Amino acid sequence: PVPAAAAAGEESPVEGGPPDHSYSLSSGTTSEELLRKLNEQRDIIALLEVKMKEMKGSIRRLRLAEAQLREEIREKDRLLHAASAGTRKRHGL
């Protein structure tokens, strides 16, 4: 198995040292590094917002398709019920 840090493209921590997560900071972090990490986080948030909007659109389309399919089923059930009621009347059932 690949360690999570390696899978995420991060360098592995030094043996026994703290994990190097994008959200963890060492005491010697420079303002330039802080700014870079902040910008990375903003980029990630922006990407997630775009994905959420896409997913909301997909969910909306799926709900509309579901409603249309349910309406088609109701209509076909109604037609089948009407046809079977007509058959029973013709045969005196």
Side-chain angles (χ1 to χ4, degrees):
V2 177
E10 300 171 6
E11 293 181 20
S12 358
V14 177
E15 195 65 28
D20 182 24
H21 297 294
S22 60
Y23 51 82
S24 67
L25 302 172
S26 65
S27 58
T29 306
T30 65
S31 58
E32 186 177 304
E33 290 170 323
L34 285 171
L35 185 58
R36 181 182 54 79
K37 287 180 181 277
L38 176 63
N39 286 331
E40 287 173 2
Q41 294 298 318
R42 285 183 179 160
D43 290 346
I44 290 168
I45 290 168
L47 238 166
L48 289 172
E49 286 174 345
V50 168
K51 289 294 177 189
M52 282 177 50
K53 285 180 184 176
E54 288 175 1
M55 289 174 66
K56 284 180 181 178
S58 295
I59 290 168
R60 193 176 306 114
R61 285 189 299 277
L62 286 168
R63 284 184 176 154
L64 285 171
E66 179 188 21
Q68 289 172 341
L69 287 170
R70 287 183 185 276
E71 185 57 39
E72 286 178 27
I73 289 170
R74 276 193 291 273
E75 180 64 18
K76 287 180 180 179
D77 282 349
R78 187 187 65 73
L79 291 172
L80 283 171
H81 181 72
S84 66
T87 303
R88 280 184 273 174
K89 283 182 183 177
R90 279 197 302 260
H91 293 298
L93 299 174

